[in-house]
Amino acid sequence: MTTPRPLVRPARVLAAALAAGTLFATAACSGSDSSASPEADASSTVAERGVAAQTTSPSASSPSASASPSDLSEEGARNALITPADIEDDWTQVRDPSEWRDSLLVGSVDVAAFVDGRSDTQDCQRLVDALFDETLLGKPTGASAVTGFQQGDSRLLYQVAAYDKADLDDSMQWLSELPDTCDQFTLTGGDAGERTVQVIETSLPQAGDNRQGLTVTVKGESNGDPVTLSLDVAVVQIGADAITVTNGGLDGADHDTTSAAVEQGTQRLQEVLAGRTPSPTPSGIN
């Protein structure tokens, strides 16, 4: 007596179903849209956005894999700027800090002219050209806002801006290499003669997605008198947006003020990017 055939067919059907399941799983792993379920599509999109936020060279053929542009608005950039209360001490907000790029008179020394010179190294030239400019990270491609403060012989320039993500990543990499490529170099030209410039790396509070701190010291003469200019340079990146701080003067750089600007400024920018308006910083912050 032979075994009834109906008992064999379910096994074949099950094997075929298992094979089909394996095929669909393989297709999903290979990124085939035609075999992915709606749930898988949603998960893939979320994953791609996460990868896109971290990559500097997305595939041009896949729009979902490209870095998301900044959502920072002009109003948001202004709201993200720090206030005198954020950095305490006796800092006074200035009317138009963009004027500093042309002339920054501190006592009898024009600090802007003091750092105006030529370097034989392109990376070092880029640094000194942007110390009192708003182009340290390159030209913003979106919203941008700037403010400035002064206290005695010290000046603080603060910027919030949106950039092309890939360009911003490149700028952050350039800054991280400056302590090696521009650890010490000479500026020539201008009325100040030869000046010696030193660049060292400094620590910053753990803030944002990426950060870089530098102290730049320029030594030379102005009007026959020895001059030493010390500046903190601090940058914090959040996606395609960044805050930039340049702080210091002829009396040295106040690292505590730089740290406060970084901490308070990063918090304000994060609140703006989350769709909130930062509350006024109360005086007497810790």
Side-chain angles (χ1 to χ4, degrees), residues 218-240:
V218 186
K219 294 182 178 182
E221 290 187 356
S222 177
N223 300 320
D225 296 322
V227 172
T228 298
L229 172 69
S230 297
L231 296 171
D232 274 353
V233 177
V235 176
V236 177
Q237 178 184 7
I238 303 176

Side-chain angles (χ1 to χ4, degrees), residues 20 32 41 47 51 55 84 87 189 207 218 270:
S32 173
D41 280 340
V51 171
T55 182
I87 50 180
V218 186
Q270 287 173 330

